Amino acid sequence: MTTFFAALFYFATAVLVGGLAYRISDYARTPAPLKIPTTPAPVTRGGVALRMLREVTLFESLFRSNLWTWAFGWIFHVGLALVLLRHLRYFVEPVWGWVAFVQPFGVYAGFAMAAGLAGLWARRFLVARVRFISTPSDHLMIVLLLAIAGSGLAMKYVAHTDIVAVKAFTLGLVYFDWQPLPADPLVYAHLGLVALLMVLFPFSKLLHAPGVFFSPTRNQTDDPREHRHVAAWATRLDAER
Ligand code: HEM
C-alpha cells in the first residue's frame, strides 16, 4: 500500500500542478475585448488590487448578493485555509513557529469547514431555484470535501492514527526517501480522497479559485474615457493593417 499511495501522490501532484499551469495560461491568454468592470469600480490599478483583495478574503460581491450563501461559503473557505495551514506540519521539519501557532485554530477550523459545507449542501436541496440548476458535479464536490473533513476528524476524535508515521511518510515523499504508511483504513480513506480531489481540481468548478483573478468584471479599471480599451489581439490587427 505504501508504494501505491506514494505513486498515487506523485501522480496526483503532477496532474494538479500541470493541469493548473495549463488552465492558468489558458485564462491568461483569453482576450477580454470589452471594458466590463462591475460598477461602481476602482479607477486606478491600486484600487483594483484592493478590490480583488477584498473579493478573495471577504467574498465581497457574494456578501452583497446573498447573505446565507456568503456566510456558509466564507466559513467553509476560511476553515479550509486554516486546516491546510495546520497540515503544513506534515511537510516541514522542524515545524515553523507560525505553523505551530495555528495548530489549535486548525482543529476548530475542521468543524467550521464541515459546518460550512453542510450549509452549502443543504442549500442545494432546500432552495428550489438552486436545486433546479444543481448538477451531479456540484453535489460530488461537496460530498468529496465533506468526506475528507469527516475522515480527518474521525482520525482526530474517533480512532487515532500514528501521526508520527504519517509525517515520516509525507516527508519521505518530499525527499524521495520513502517510508511506510500506517496500515489504517481511515488514513487510506483520507489520503485516497485527497488524491482524488487533487486529480479532479483542474477539471472542475473548483477552478474558480484561480479563475476569480482573471474575471474582467473584477480585474478591470473603470477608465474607458481616459484610455481607449483595445484588446491585445485587436492591437495586433491594427498593426498589420
Ligand atoms: C485537501 C486536503 C485536506 C483536507 C481538507 C484535510 C482535512 C482534514 C481535517 C478537517 C482534519 C481534522 C482536523 C485536524 O486534525 O486537523 C484532518 C486530519 C488529518 N489529516 Fe487531513 N486533510 C487534507 C489533506 C491531508 C494530507 C495530504 C495528509 C497527509 C499528511 C493528511 C493527514 C491528516 C492526518 C494524519 C489527520 C489526523 C490528525 C490528528 O489525528 O491529529 N490530510 N484533515
Side-chain angles (χ1 to χ4, degrees):
M1 272 314 215
T2 299
T3 319
F4 170 76
F5 273 97
L8 180 67
F9 265 90
Y10 287 129
F11 171 72
T13 306
V15 173
L16 180 71
V17 174
L20 274 183
Y22 172 74
R23 290 291 190 175
I24 290 172
S25 76
D26 200 33
Y27 290 158
R29 280 182 284 118
T30 303
L34 303 173
K35 263 283 178 188
I36 51 166
T38 307
T39 54
V43 293
T44 60
R45 299 292 302 160
V48 167
L50 198 64
R51 176 191 215 182
M52 195 56 99
L53 186 71
R54 290 199 310 269
E55 188 65 24
V56 297
T57 54
L58 304 173
F59 301 2
E60 188 179 42
S61 62
L62 184 58
F63 179 80
R64 290 196 183 130
S65 68
N66 188 311
L67 216 48
W68 279 108
T69 311
W70 174 83
F72 287 125
W74 194 78
I75 286 171
F76 156 61
H77 283 88
V78 172
L80 175 66
L82 280 170
V83 164
L84 292 178
L85 293 180
R86 175 171 148 88
H87 277 67
L88 270 181
R89 68 181 167 151
Y90 295 113
F91 297 88
V92 290
E93 183 54 42
V95 173
W96 303 323
W98 65 269
V99 175
F101 174 77
V102 298
Q103 292 304 311
F105 305 103
V107 182
Y108 299 115
F111 288 103
M113 174 187 162
L117 283 166
L120 291 171
W121 201 19
R123 163 180 172 267
R124 295 213 172 261
F125 290 103
L126 300 177
V127 183
R129 62 210 152 84
V130 180
R131 184 169 66 235
F132 186 69
I133 57 164
S134 292
T135 61
S137 90
D138 291 322
H139 291 282
L140 175 78
M141 286 305 156
I142 295 181
V143 172
L144 186 55
L145 285 159
L146 263 177
I148 293 174
S151 53
L153 289 167
M155 281 190 284
K156 175 107 186 100
Y157 292 104
V158 183
H160 287 297
T161 198
D162 182 350
I163 55 169
V164 175
V166 172
K167 176 157 182 168
F169 171 77
T170 48
L171 282 178
L173 288 182
V174 174
Y175 294 107
F176 297 98
D177 171 21
W178 300 298
Q179 303 296 321
L181 182 66
D184 174 348
L186 277 175
V187 175
Y188 292 162
H190 195 63
L191 297 194
L193 292 167
V194 170
L196 180 62
L197 182 74
M198 290 165 76
V199 169
L200 292 181
F201 201 106
F203 310 98
S204 73
K205 62 183 286 184
L206 303 183
L207 282 168
H208 68 270
V212 63
F213 296 98
F214 296 93
S215 172
T217 58
R218 297 285 172 273
N219 71 12
Q220 292 185 342
T221 44
D222 186 12
D223 59 358
R225 285 164 210 82
E226 292 77 9
H227 304 282
R228 182 165 170 247
H229 176 73
V230 189
W233 57 268
T235 315
R236 274 200 302 278
L237 281 184
D238 276 352
E240 279 162 20
R241 248 191 281 137

mmCIF file of all heavy atoms in Angstrom, residues 122-168:
data_model
loop_
_atom_site.group_PDB
_atom_site.id
_atom_site.type_symbol
_atom_site.label_atom_id
_atom_site.label_comp_id
_atom_site.label_asym_id
_atom_site.label_seq_id
_atom_site.Cartn_x
_atom_site.Cartn_y
_atom_site.Cartn_z
ATOM 1 N N ALA A 122 -27.042 21.781 2.015
ATOM 2 C CA ALA A 122 -28.472 21.914 2.326
ATOM 3 C C ALA A 122 -29.123 22.903 1.360
ATOM 4 O O ALA A 122 -30.229 22.675 0.865
ATOM 5 C CB ALA A 122 -28.642 22.390 3.764
ATOM 6 N N ARG A 123 -28.416 23.971 1.061
ATOM 7 C CA ARG A 123 -28.932 24.992 0.139
ATOM 8 C C ARG A 123 -29.282 24.370 -1.222
ATOM 9 O O ARG A 123 -30.262 24.757 -1.854
ATOM 10 C CB ARG A 123 -27.863 26.072 0.014
ATOM 11 C CG ARG A 123 -27.971 27.000 -1.140
ATOM 12 C CD ARG A 123 -26.819 28.002 -1.096
ATOM 13 N NE ARG A 123 -26.772 28.797 -2.303
ATOM 14 C CZ ARG A 123 -26.042 28.488 -3.378
ATOM 15 N NH1 ARG A 123 -25.294 27.399 -3.383
ATOM 16 N NH2 ARG A 123 -26.057 29.262 -4.439
ATOM 17 N N ARG A 124 -28.485 23.404 -1.653
ATOM 18 C CA ARG A 124 -28.738 22.781 -2.964
ATOM 19 C C ARG A 124 -29.995 21.919 -2.963
ATOM 20 O O ARG A 124 -30.500 21.556 -4.018
ATOM 21 C CB ARG A 124 -27.531 21.958 -3.421
ATOM 22 C CG ARG A 124 -26.305 22.813 -3.678
ATOM 23 C CD ARG A 124 -25.423 22.306 -4.789
ATOM 24 N NE ARG A 124 -24.400 23.308 -5.071
ATOM 25 C CZ ARG A 124 -24.474 24.191 -6.071
ATOM 26 N NH1 ARG A 124 -25.497 24.166 -6.896
ATOM 27 N NH2 ARG A 124 -23.516 25.079 -6.242
ATOM 28 N N PHE A 125 -30.499 21.559 -1.777
ATOM 29 C CA PHE A 125 -31.759 20.802 -1.701
ATOM 30 C C PHE A 125 -32.924 21.703 -1.345
ATOM 31 O O PHE A 125 -34.022 21.539 -1.858
ATOM 32 C CB PHE A 125 -31.658 19.704 -0.619
ATOM 33 C CG PHE A 125 -30.718 18.592 -0.996
ATOM 34 C CD1 PHE A 125 -29.442 18.518 -0.447
ATOM 35 C CD2 PHE A 125 -31.110 17.628 -1.917
ATOM 36 C CE1 PHE A 125 -28.573 17.495 -0.808
ATOM 37 C CE2 PHE A 125 -30.249 16.606 -2.281
ATOM 38 C CZ PHE A 125 -28.982 16.538 -1.723
ATOM 39 N N LEU A 126 -32.671 22.694 -0.469
ATOM 40 C CA LEU A 126 -33.784 23.452 0.116
ATOM 41 C C LEU A 126 -34.225 24.655 -0.717
ATOM 42 O O LEU A 126 -35.373 25.063 -0.645
ATOM 43 C CB LEU A 126 -33.410 23.924 1.531
ATOM 44 C CG LEU A 126 -33.078 22.796 2.522
ATOM 45 C CD1 LEU A 126 -32.658 23.368 3.867
ATOM 46 C CD2 LEU A 126 -34.274 21.868 2.689
ATOM 47 N N VAL A 127 -33.301 25.242 -1.487
ATOM 48 C CA VAL A 127 -33.681 26.423 -2.279
ATOM 49 C C VAL A 127 -34.060 25.940 -3.683
ATOM 50 O O VAL A 127 -33.208 25.439 -4.424
ATOM 51 C CB VAL A 127 -32.524 27.445 -2.355
ATOM 52 C CG1 VAL A 127 -32.944 28.690 -3.114
ATOM 53 C CG2 VAL A 127 -32.028 27.804 -0.966
ATOM 54 N N ALA A 128 -35.337 26.067 -4.019
ATOM 55 C CA ALA A 128 -35.865 25.456 -5.249
ATOM 56 C C ALA A 128 -35.066 25.854 -6.491
ATOM 57 O O ALA A 128 -34.699 25.007 -7.306
ATOM 58 C CB ALA A 128 -37.329 25.821 -5.415
ATOM 59 N N ARG A 129 -34.757 27.160 -6.623
ATOM 60 C CA ARG A 129 -34.090 27.596 -7.852
ATOM 61 C C ARG A 129 -32.661 27.055 -7.905
ATOM 62 O O ARG A 129 -32.137 26.754 -8.975
ATOM 63 C CB ARG A 129 -34.143 29.119 -7.970
ATOM 64 C CG ARG A 129 -33.895 30.003 -7.595
ATOM 65 C CD ARG A 129 -34.293 31.452 -7.459
ATOM 66 N NE ARG A 129 -33.723 31.900 -6.221
ATOM 67 C CZ ARG A 129 -32.502 32.319 -6.098
ATOM 68 N NH1 ARG A 129 -31.729 32.413 -7.117
ATOM 69 N NH2 ARG A 129 -32.051 32.664 -4.925
ATOM 70 N N VAL A 130 -32.026 26.876 -6.761
ATOM 71 C CA VAL A 130 -30.663 26.335 -6.736
ATOM 72 C C VAL A 130 -30.707 24.830 -6.987
ATOM 73 O O VAL A 130 -29.866 24.275 -7.704
ATOM 74 C CB VAL A 130 -29.971 26.652 -5.388
ATOM 75 C CG1 VAL A 130 -28.562 26.087 -5.346
ATOM 76 C CG2 VAL A 130 -29.936 28.154 -5.152
ATOM 77 N N ARG A 131 -31.749 24.164 -6.434
ATOM 78 C CA ARG A 131 -31.896 22.722 -6.674
ATOM 79 C C ARG A 131 -32.045 22.457 -8.177
ATOM 80 O O ARG A 131 -31.453 21.541 -8.729
ATOM 81 C CB ARG A 131 -33.139 22.206 -5.927
ATOM 82 C CG ARG A 131 -33.306 20.695 -6.035
ATOM 83 C CD ARG A 131 -34.366 20.181 -5.086
ATOM 84 N NE ARG A 131 -35.687 20.662 -5.418
ATOM 85 C CZ ARG A 131 -36.488 21.308 -4.588
ATOM 86 N NH1 ARG A 131 -36.111 21.545 -3.354
ATOM 87 N NH2 ARG A 131 -37.675 21.713 -4.976
ATOM 88 N N PHE A 132 -32.800 23.319 -8.843
ATOM 89 C CA PHE A 132 -33.078 23.163 -10.274
ATOM 90 C C PHE A 132 -31.813 23.224 -11.115
ATOM 91 O O PHE A 132 -31.673 22.489 -12.097
ATOM 92 C CB PHE A 132 -34.066 24.270 -10.689
ATOM 93 C CG PHE A 132 -34.547 24.149 -12.097
ATOM 94 C CD1 PHE A 132 -35.380 23.109 -12.474
ATOM 95 C CD2 PHE A 132 -34.168 25.083 -13.059
ATOM 96 C CE1 PHE A 132 -35.824 22.989 -13.779
ATOM 97 C CE2 PHE A 132 -34.606 24.972 -14.364
ATOM 98 C CZ PHE A 132 -35.439 23.912 -14.730
ATOM 99 N N ILE A 133 -30.872 24.081 -10.741
ATOM 100 C CA ILE A 133 -29.654 24.234 -11.564
ATOM 101 C C ILE A 133 -28.474 23.412 -11.045
ATOM 102 O O ILE A 133 -27.389 23.457 -11.614
ATOM 103 C CB ILE A 133 -29.215 25.722 -11.688
ATOM 104 C CG1 ILE A 133 -28.981 26.325 -10.307
ATOM 105 C CG2 ILE A 133 -30.215 26.529 -12.491
ATOM 106 C CD1 ILE A 133 -28.192 27.614 -10.344
ATOM 107 N N SER A 134 -28.656 22.642 -9.956
ATOM 108 C CA SER A 134 -27.542 21.867 -9.400
ATOM 109 C C SER A 134 -27.259 20.623 -10.247
ATOM 110 O O SER A 134 -28.172 19.867 -10.558
ATOM 111 C CB SER A 134 -27.850 21.437 -7.963
ATOM 112 O OG SER A 134 -27.873 22.569 -7.133
ATOM 113 N N THR A 135 -25.992 20.450 -10.595
ATOM 114 C CA THR A 135 -25.609 19.285 -11.401
ATOM 115 C C THR A 135 -24.966 18.239 -10.471
ATOM 116 O O THR A 135 -24.601 18.554 -9.336
ATOM 117 C CB THR A 135 -24.569 19.687 -12.458
ATOM 118 O OG1 THR A 135 -23.411 20.170 -11.767
ATOM 119 C CG2 THR A 135 -25.103 20.779 -13.370
ATOM 120 N N PRO A 136 -24.811 16.984 -10.955
ATOM 121 C CA PRO A 136 -24.157 15.972 -10.118
ATOM 122 C C PRO A 136 -22.790 16.438 -9.630
ATOM 123 O O PRO A 136 -22.402 16.168 -8.497
ATOM 124 C CB PRO A 136 -24.029 14.771 -11.051
ATOM 125 C CG PRO A 136 -25.161 14.930 -12.027
ATOM 126 C CD PRO A 136 -25.320 16.410 -12.222
ATOM 127 N N SER A 137 -22.035 17.165 -10.458
ATOM 128 C CA SER A 137 -20.694 17.568 -10.019
ATOM 129 C C SER A 137 -20.750 18.583 -8.869
ATOM 130 O O SER A 137 -19.855 18.620 -8.025
ATOM 131 C CB SER A 137 -19.878 18.110 -11.196
ATOM 132 O OG SER A 137 -20.053 19.482 -11.325
ATOM 133 N N ASP A 138 -21.823 19.402 -8.831
ATOM 134 C CA ASP A 138 -21.969 20.329 -7.693
ATOM 135 C C ASP A 138 -22.066 19.533 -6.394
ATOM 136 O O ASP A 138 -21.448 19.879 -5.389
ATOM 137 C CB ASP A 138 -23.244 21.180 -7.844
ATOM 138 C CG ASP A 138 -23.131 22.168 -8.990
ATOM 139 O OD1 ASP A 138 -22.036 22.716 -9.180
ATOM 140 O OD2 ASP A 138 -24.138 22.383 -9.688
ATOM 141 N N HIS A 139 -22.875 18.462 -6.429
ATOM 142 C CA HIS A 139 -23.035 17.628 -5.234
ATOM 143 C C HIS A 139 -21.751 16.863 -4.947
ATOM 144 O O HIS A 139 -21.312 16.769 -3.804
ATOM 145 C CB HIS A 139 -24.204 16.650 -5.428
ATOM 146 C CG HIS A 139 -25.540 17.332 -5.449
ATOM 147 N ND1 HIS A 139 -26.169 17.754 -4.301
ATOM 148 C CD2 HIS A 139 -26.343 17.694 -6.471
ATOM 149 C CE1 HIS A 139 -27.319 18.334 -4.618
ATOM 150 N NE2 HIS A 139 -27.445 18.318 -5.938
ATOM 151 N N LEU A 140 -21.145 16.324 -6.012
ATOM 152 C CA LEU A 140 -19.940 15.500 -5.829
ATOM 153 C C LEU A 140 -18.835 16.256 -5.097
ATOM 154 O O LEU A 140 -18.219 15.727 -4.171
ATOM 155 C CB LEU A 140 -19.420 15.014 -7.195
ATOM 156 C CG LEU A 140 -18.102 14.258 -7.100
ATOM 157 C CD1 LEU A 140 -18.330 12.835 -6.605
ATOM 158 C CD2 LEU A 140 -17.364 14.229 -8.427
ATOM 159 N N MET A 141 -18.590 17.503 -5.496
ATOM 160 C CA MET A 141 -17.502 18.267 -4.876
ATOM 161 C C MET A 141 -17.762 18.490 -3.391
ATOM 162 O O MET A 141 -16.848 18.418 -2.575
ATOM 163 C CB MET A 141 -17.350 19.627 -5.583
ATOM 164 C CG MET A 141 -16.708 19.500 -6.923
ATOM 165 S SD MET A 141 -15.144 18.643 -6.739
ATOM 166 C CE MET A 141 -14.948 17.988 -8.341
ATOM 167 N N ILE A 142 -19.019 18.769 -3.047
ATOM 168 C CA ILE A 142 -19.344 18.992 -1.633
ATOM 169 C C ILE A 142 -19.168 17.689 -0.853
ATOM 170 O O ILE A 142 -18.572 17.666 0.226
ATOM 171 C CB ILE A 142 -20.780 19.546 -1.489
ATOM 172 C CG1 ILE A 142 -20.867 20.927 -2.138
ATOM 173 C CG2 ILE A 142 -21.164 19.624 -0.011
ATOM 174 C CD1 ILE A 142 -22.224 21.586 -2.033
ATOM 175 N N VAL A 143 -19.657 16.578 -1.433
ATOM 176 C CA VAL A 143 -19.552 15.283 -0.749
ATOM 177 C C VAL A 143 -18.085 14.907 -0.562
ATOM 178 O O VAL A 143 -17.672 14.445 0.509
ATOM 179 C CB VAL A 143 -20.297 14.197 -1.560
ATOM 180 C CG1 VAL A 143 -20.035 12.815 -0.980
ATOM 181 C CG2 VAL A 143 -21.790 14.485 -1.556
ATOM 182 N N LEU A 144 -17.288 15.141 -1.598
ATOM 183 C CA LEU A 144 -15.861 14.794 -1.528
ATOM 184 C C LEU A 144 -15.170 15.576 -0.404
ATOM 185 O O LEU A 144 -14.455 15.007 0.423
ATOM 186 C CB LEU A 144 -15.218 15.102 -2.887
ATOM 187 C CG LEU A 144 -13.773 14.695 -3.110
ATOM 188 C CD1 LEU A 144 -13.575 13.219 -2.836
ATOM 189 C CD2 LEU A 144 -13.340 15.007 -4.551
ATOM 190 N N LEU A 145 -15.419 16.888 -0.364
ATOM 191 C CA LEU A 145 -14.796 17.706 0.678
ATOM 192 C C LEU A 145 -15.302 17.336 2.071
ATOM 193 O O LEU A 145 -14.538 17.298 3.035
ATOM 194 C CB LEU A 145 -15.053 19.193 0.386
ATOM 195 C CG LEU A 145 -14.206 19.748 -0.763
ATOM 196 C CD1 LEU A 145 -14.820 21.010 -1.343
ATOM 197 C CD2 LEU A 145 -12.780 20.032 -0.286
ATOM 198 N N LEU A 146 -16.608 17.002 2.158
ATOM 199 C CA LEU A 146 -17.159 16.578 3.453
ATOM 200 C C LEU A 146 -16.527 15.266 3.900
ATOM 201 O O LEU A 146 -16.216 15.082 5.083
ATOM 202 C CB LEU A 146 -18.669 16.397 3.338
ATOM 203 C CG LEU A 146 -19.551 17.555 3.790
ATOM 204 C CD1 LEU A 146 -21.025 17.238 3.536
ATOM 205 C CD2 LEU A 146 -19.347 17.890 5.265
ATOM 206 N N ALA A 147 -16.320 14.344 2.953
ATOM 207 C CA ALA A 147 -15.728 13.043 3.295
ATOM 208 C C ALA A 147 -14.275 13.224 3.741
ATOM 209 O O ALA A 147 -13.809 12.542 4.655
ATOM 210 C CB ALA A 147 -15.817 12.102 2.095
ATOM 211 N N ILE A 148 -13.554 14.174 3.114
ATOM 212 C CA ILE A 148 -12.165 14.426 3.528
ATOM 213 C C ILE A 148 -12.156 14.979 4.959
ATOM 214 O O ILE A 148 -11.412 14.513 5.830
ATOM 215 C CB ILE A 148 -11.468 15.402 2.555
ATOM 216 C CG1 ILE A 148 -11.304 14.742 1.187
ATOM 217 C CG2 ILE A 148 -10.117 15.837 3.110
ATOM 218 C CD1 ILE A 148 -10.750 15.652 0.105
ATOM 219 N N ALA A 149 -13.027 15.978 5.198
ATOM 220 C CA ALA A 149 -13.090 16.557 6.547
ATOM 221 C C ALA A 149 -13.548 15.500 7.555
ATOM 222 O O ALA A 149 -12.979 15.382 8.647
ATOM 223 C CB ALA A 149 -14.039 17.756 6.555
ATOM 224 N N GLY A 150 -14.556 14.701 7.182
ATOM 225 C CA GLY A 150 -15.085 13.676 8.087
ATOM 226 C C GLY A 150 -14.032 12.641 8.453
ATOM 227 O O GLY A 150 -13.857 12.304 9.635
ATOM 228 N N SER A 151 -13.279 12.151 7.459
ATOM 229 C CA SER A 151 -12.260 11.129 7.758
ATOM 230 C C SER A 151 -11.126 11.746 8.588
ATOM 231 O O SER A 151 -10.560 11.085 9.463
ATOM 232 C CB SER A 151 -11.737 10.485 6.466
ATOM 233 O OG SER A 151 -11.303 11.470 5.553
ATOM 234 N N GLY A 152 -10.809 13.028 8.334
ATOM 235 C CA GLY A 152 -9.778 13.701 9.133
ATOM 236 C C GLY A 152 -10.216 13.839 10.584
ATOM 237 O O GLY A 152 -9.485 13.491 11.512
ATOM 238 N N LEU A 153 -11.461 14.322 10.767
ATOM 239 C CA LEU A 153 -11.961 14.492 12.141
ATOM 240 C C LEU A 153 -12.086 13.143 12.844
ATOM 241 O O LEU A 153 -11.856 13.044 14.055
ATOM 242 C CB LEU A 153 -13.315 15.226 12.116
ATOM 243 C CG LEU A 153 -13.230 16.711 11.748
ATOM 244 C CD1 LEU A 153 -14.603 17.295 11.430
ATOM 245 C CD2 LEU A 153 -12.573 17.522 12.872
ATOM 246 N N ALA A 154 -12.425 12.089 12.083
ATOM 247 C CA ALA A 154 -12.537 10.748 12.687
ATOM 248 C C ALA A 154 -11.171 10.289 13.200
ATOM 249 O O ALA A 154 -11.075 9.657 14.252
ATOM 250 C CB ALA A 154 -13.090 9.759 11.670
ATOM 251 N N MET A 155 -10.098 10.636 12.458
ATOM 252 C CA MET A 155 -8.754 10.253 12.924
ATOM 253 C C MET A 155 -8.384 11.004 14.197
ATOM 254 O O MET A 155 -7.662 10.512 15.041
ATOM 255 C CB MET A 155 -7.709 10.556 11.850
ATOM 256 C CG MET A 155 -7.674 9.529 10.754
ATOM 257 S SD MET A 155 -6.267 9.780 9.687
ATOM 258 C CE MET A 155 -6.779 11.179 8.726
ATOM 259 N N LYS A 156 -8.887 12.229 14.292
ATOM 260 C CA LYS A 156 -8.537 13.046 15.459
ATOM 261 C C LYS A 156 -9.364 12.633 16.674
ATOM 262 O O LYS A 156 -8.854 12.587 17.786
ATOM 263 C CB LYS A 156 -8.774 14.528 15.118
ATOM 264 C CG LYS A 156 -8.574 15.492 16.245
ATOM 265 C CD LYS A 156 -7.310 16.297 16.080
ATOM 266 C CE LYS A 156 -7.035 17.174 17.285
ATOM 267 N NZ LYS A 156 -6.044 16.602 18.188
ATOM 268 N N TYR A 157 -10.684 12.355 16.458
ATOM 269 C CA TYR A 157 -11.566 12.171 17.616
ATOM 270 C C TYR A 157 -12.087 10.753 17.824
ATOM 271 O O TYR A 157 -12.566 10.441 18.903
ATOM 272 C CB TYR A 157 -12.752 13.135 17.506
ATOM 273 C CG TYR A 157 -12.312 14.560 17.669
ATOM 274 C CD1 TYR A 157 -12.199 15.410 16.574
ATOM 275 C CD2 TYR A 157 -11.960 15.050 18.922
ATOM 276 C CE1 TYR A 157 -11.751 16.713 16.723
ATOM 277 C CE2 TYR A 157 -11.512 16.349 19.086
ATOM 278 C CZ TYR A 157 -11.416 17.172 17.983
ATOM 279 O OH TYR A 157 -10.962 18.445 18.146
ATOM 280 N N VAL A 158 -12.066 9.912 16.801
ATOM 281 C CA VAL A 158 -12.674 8.582 16.957
ATOM 282 C C VAL A 158 -11.602 7.491 17.063
ATOM 283 O O VAL A 158 -11.496 6.813 18.076
ATOM 284 C CB VAL A 158 -13.648 8.275 15.789
ATOM 285 C CG1 VAL A 158 -14.329 6.919 16.024
ATOM 286 C CG2 VAL A 158 -14.685 9.373 15.647
ATOM 287 N N ALA A 159 -10.813 7.330 16.027
ATOM 288 C CA ALA A 159 -9.777 6.280 16.044
ATOM 289 C C ALA A 159 -8.446 6.922 15.674
ATOM 290 O O ALA A 159 -8.177 7.188 14.498
ATOM 291 C CB ALA A 159 -10.153 5.191 15.042
ATOM 292 N N HIS A 160 -7.630 7.190 16.691
ATOM 293 C CA HIS A 160 -6.344 7.855 16.456
ATOM 294 C C HIS A 160 -5.473 7.057 15.504
ATOM 295 O O HIS A 160 -5.471 5.836 15.524
ATOM 296 C CB HIS A 160 -5.591 8.037 17.775
ATOM 297 C CG HIS A 160 -6.199 9.091 18.630
ATOM 298 N ND1 HIS A 160 -6.258 10.403 18.251
ATOM 299 C CD2 HIS A 160 -6.796 9.014 19.836
ATOM 300 C CE1 HIS A 160 -6.874 11.092 19.204
ATOM 301 N NE2 HIS A 160 -7.213 10.276 20.174
ATOM 302 N N THR A 161 -4.709 7.807 14.714
ATOM 303 C CA THR A 161 -3.765 7.141 13.832
ATOM 304 C C THR A 161 -2.355 7.533 14.283
ATOM 305 O O THR A 161 -2.187 8.443 15.087
ATOM 306 C CB THR A 161 -4.045 7.531 12.366
ATOM 307 O OG1 THR A 161 -3.420 6.600 11.536
ATOM 308 C CG2 THR A 161 -3.563 8.920 12.042
ATOM 309 N N ASP A 162 -1.360 6.838 13.742
ATOM 310 C CA ASP A 162 0.024 7.130 14.136
ATOM 311 C C ASP A 162 0.519 8.325 13.316
ATOM 312 O O ASP A 162 1.072 8.169 12.223
ATOM 313 C CB ASP A 162 0.874 5.880 13.869
ATOM 314 C CG ASP A 162 2.324 6.074 14.307
ATOM 315 O OD1 ASP A 162 2.699 7.210 14.640
ATOM 316 O OD2 ASP A 162 3.064 5.080 14.291
ATOM 317 N N ILE A 163 0.308 9.551 13.858
ATOM 318 C CA ILE A 163 0.631 10.733 13.044
ATOM 319 C C ILE A 163 2.138 10.921 12.853
ATOM 320 O O ILE A 163 2.569 11.560 11.904
ATOM 321 C CB ILE A 163 -0.032 12.033 13.581
ATOM 322 C CG1 ILE A 163 0.316 12.293 15.026
ATOM 323 C CG2 ILE A 163 -1.517 12.040 13.380
ATOM 324 C CD1 ILE A 163 -0.105 13.684 15.475
ATOM 325 N N VAL A 164 2.941 10.338 13.755
ATOM 326 C CA VAL A 164 4.398 10.414 13.570
ATOM 327 C C VAL A 164 4.787 9.615 12.319
ATOM 328 O O VAL A 164 5.584 10.070 11.485
ATOM 329 C CB VAL A 164 5.134 9.889 14.827
ATOM 330 C CG1 VAL A 164 6.639 9.849 14.599
ATOM 331 C CG2 VAL A 164 4.793 10.746 16.033
ATOM 332 N N ALA A 165 4.144 8.444 12.165
ATOM 333 C CA ALA A 165 4.426 7.617 10.978
ATOM 334 C C ALA A 165 3.882 8.285 9.710
ATOM 335 O O ALA A 165 4.521 8.239 8.652
ATOM 336 C CB ALA A 165 3.817 6.227 11.150
ATOM 337 N N VAL A 166 2.700 8.947 9.828
ATOM 338 C CA VAL A 166 2.149 9.650 8.655
ATOM 339 C C VAL A 166 3.116 10.752 8.231
ATOM 340 O O VAL A 166 3.400 10.944 7.044
ATOM 341 C CB VAL A 166 0.746 10.244 8.951
ATOM 342 C CG1 VAL A 166 0.281 11.124 7.802
ATOM 343 C CG2 VAL A 166 -0.268 9.151 9.208
ATOM 344 N N LYS A 167 3.673 11.449 9.227
ATOM 345 C CA LYS A 167 4.614 12.526 8.903
ATOM 346 C C LYS A 167 5.876 11.956 8.238
ATOM 347 O O LYS A 167 6.398 12.546 7.293
ATOM 348 C CB LYS A 167 4.979 13.308 10.169
ATOM 349 C CG LYS A 167 6.029 14.362 9.883
ATOM 350 C CD LYS A 167 6.034 15.475 10.880
ATOM 351 C CE LYS A 167 7.083 16.500 10.467
ATOM 352 N NZ LYS A 167 6.995 17.732 11.201
ATOM 353 N N ALA A 168 6.352 10.829 8.744
ATOM 354 C CA ALA A 168 7.535 10.202 8.125
ATOM 355 C C ALA A 168 7.233 9.865 6.667
ATOM 356 O O ALA A 168 8.072 10.065 5.777
ATOM 357 C CB ALA A 168 7.920 8.940 8.896
#
